[in-house]
Amino acid sequence: MANQGSAVRGASLLIALQISSRAVTFVANQLLLRFLTAQLLGVSAQLEVYYRSILFFARESLRVAIQRQEAPPTASKSDPSSTATSSDDDKETDRRRSAAANARDAQSVVNIAYLALLLGLGAAAGLGWAYLRYADASVAAATPYLGLSLRIYALASVVELLAEPAFVILQYRLRFGPRAAAESLATLLRCLATLGAAGWARREGVDLGVLPFALGQLAYGLGLLAVYAWYGTRLASSEGFSLLPKQSTRNTQSKQQEKRGTGRDDDAAAEYVLGYFYKPTLRLASSLTAQSFVKHILSQGDTFLVSVLSSPQSQGVYALANNYGSLVARLVFQPVEESSRNYFSKLLSSSSSSTRGLPDRAAVSKARSDLQALLKFYVLLSIVVVTLGPYGAPLLVQIVAGARWSASGAGAVLARYCLYIPLLALNGVAEAFVSSVATESEVHRQSLWMGAFSLAFGVAGFVSLKVLDLGAAGLVYANGINMMCRIFWSATFIARFFKKNGEALSWGDMLPHNSALVVLTTAAVWTSLVNAGVGVGDVSPHVFQDLVTVATRAVPFVLMLAYNEREYLLGCYRSLRGLG
């Protein structure tokens, strides 16, 4: 229950953080869009993928493995002589052993986090060389300071990876407050640096290309490093571990004490590689590496394809539509996904049965009901997005980005992207659960399937862009096909997992109550909007009037959906109140 409360509070905090930080970033981006061409936006999107790729390859598999690392048993749990009638000396000895075990566990987490820095240096060098080697020569020549910007992005990724040891131990201890402070400050610094550089260049008549974006990303990394180092140092001081690499095995005195108490020192020492890295976590991270590579190719495959198969102008249009379209995913879905992965990992690993190596039946039942409730919330939110998004989102883009960007096709692409958002959401939480419980062999099997899905995505993207000439909208369709394949695989795995552990997962319980009524109401909303003259993705000559029209249909629709699901929503509210 404590883990669930921490996960819920953490998710709420992260959502609030995402909303506030994205609001600041959103305002800054709107100011930049007024004097930014589609080609420069396309190049900045490529550099953003370069930056994200470094971080993903360096730390993603390590983070997932660390979240699933089990804390070592304390002496009070493993020593049968530790009873309620123990003497004060015995209790003090047990307390010291427990503190030493927790410090050793924390140190192993910190040590493994430093591997991300080594991997990041290699990824930065390799991917940077590949980008400069294969970049379009005409685009490179037309973009000032491209090489310098690329190097600054590489430096920014290394700076952010320097904060990884402090970040992972704070997450491992479910300390979400420092993350909120770090990302808030970092986001503010990034906006100030980007806007400051762009404003200076415009005032001086200097063309800096994408250099302002690179400087902003460097400021972001420095902000993260400063805050995480501050909080991490305080936590390390209070728990007795170091934020620098240090051997996790016991010192000589504690070895002798624990050897007399349990006789298991040699076995424990053998669980560490070179005394620094915890073997089970290292093995799991190695198993997850191939899957992480394929997952990143799939998640960033749209950008790869559009950069290879389309013009920089189209790349900019897709980048704008993708940024707006994924706003809900980044604000709500991503924090929930991260917190749920943490929650399910702790719930199902900490309750593992000592006899069969399976999770406790009560924990599995709790995980099933929580997963069903979370998926139903996603389904309800997706219904709202699919019903209203294709009509309302392009109108908002026309207001905030201007008619020039809307006329370029960004509005039409965004309307189609709204149909893709539910798949993105459901896949995120499903794969978060899979990564929380999958064994090494199951992770390898998932990697093979994801490799097959990546080929299907590539074929669909090629057909959409080159054969059917659908442009950026074709990429949305290709992404949808890929995401449906991944959801189907994850759903099959989840159903098999619960069946193996004696629980039945009911997919029907995740659908809205009175589904027929919801479908009819959705169709009525669409018909009403079409009759009112609101188009899907078109440039509106009376944009504010159309936006009001969408709002007048949205309010009664959302109220109907909330009333229809009142019992479920009240149950969620009571659950959250009980955990608070």
Side-chain angles (χ1 to χ4, degrees), residues 411-424:
V413 175
L414 182 59
R416 290 160 177 80
Y417 201 99
C418 291
L419 305 178
Y420 169 66
I421 289 176
L423 301 177
L424 193 67

Side-chain angles (χ1 to χ4, degrees), residues 166 169-170 175 178 226-243:
I169 191 58
L170 289 167
R175 306 286 183 89
V227 178
Y228 283 137
W230 167 258
Y231 282 101
T233 300
R234 294 176 62 186
L235 180 63
S237 176
S238 64
E239 294 194 5
F241 63 91
S242 174
L243 280 182

Side-chain angles (χ1 to χ4, degrees), residues 68-139:
R68 295 181 59 178
Q69 176 171 316
E70 297 182 27
T74 61
S76 60
K77 293 180 180 179
S78 59
D79 187 355
S81 65
S82 299
T83 64
T85 60
S86 298
S87 66
D88 291 342
D89 290 341
D90 290 337
K91 290 180 179 179
E92 178 63 21
T93 300
D94 288 344
R95 187 192 66 78
R96 291 179 179 177
R97 287 177 180 169
S98 176
N102 287 333
R104 185 168 59 252
D105 181 44
Q107 190 63 56
S108 69
V109 169
V110 170
N111 291 343
I112 285 184
Y114 274 97
L115 296 177
L117 180 60
L118 297 177
L119 294 172
L121 290 171
L127 294 175
W129 173 85
Y131 182 86
L132 293 176
R133 173 69 175 79
Y134 297 103
D136 190 302
S138 60
V139 174

Side-chain angles (χ1 to χ4, degrees), residues 19-20 52 60 80 101 161 176 211 242 262 290 327 334 344 349 351 353 366 388 400 425 461 473 494 562:
I19 292 175
S20 59
R52 290 181 182 177
E60 179 66 15
L161 289 173
F176 296 103
L211 189 58
S242 174
T262 64
L327 197 60
Q334 184 179 355
F344 288 124
S349 64
S351 61
S353 169
K366 180 64 176 172
L388 304 171
V400 298
I494 292 171

Side-chain angles (χ1 to χ4, degrees), residues 366-404:
K366 180 64 176 172
R368 178 191 57 78
S369 63
D370 290 342
L371 180 62
Q372 285 188 172
L374 181 58
L375 287 173
K376 182 165 185 175
F377 171 75
Y378 272 21
V379 169
L380 295 177
L381 188 60
S382 298
I383 290 173
V384 176
V385 172
V386 169
T387 303
L388 304 171
Y391 294 92
L395 297 174
L396 292 174
V397 170
Q398 185 174 339
I399 292 174
V400 298
R404 176 173 61 91

Side-chain angles (χ1 to χ4, degrees), residues 9-29:
R9 287 190 295 271
S12 302
L13 186 61
L14 291 179
I15 290 174
L17 163 67
Q18 288 288 339
I19 292 175
S20 59
S21 63
R22 292 295 174 183
V24 176
T25 305
F26 184 82
V27 173
N29 287 341

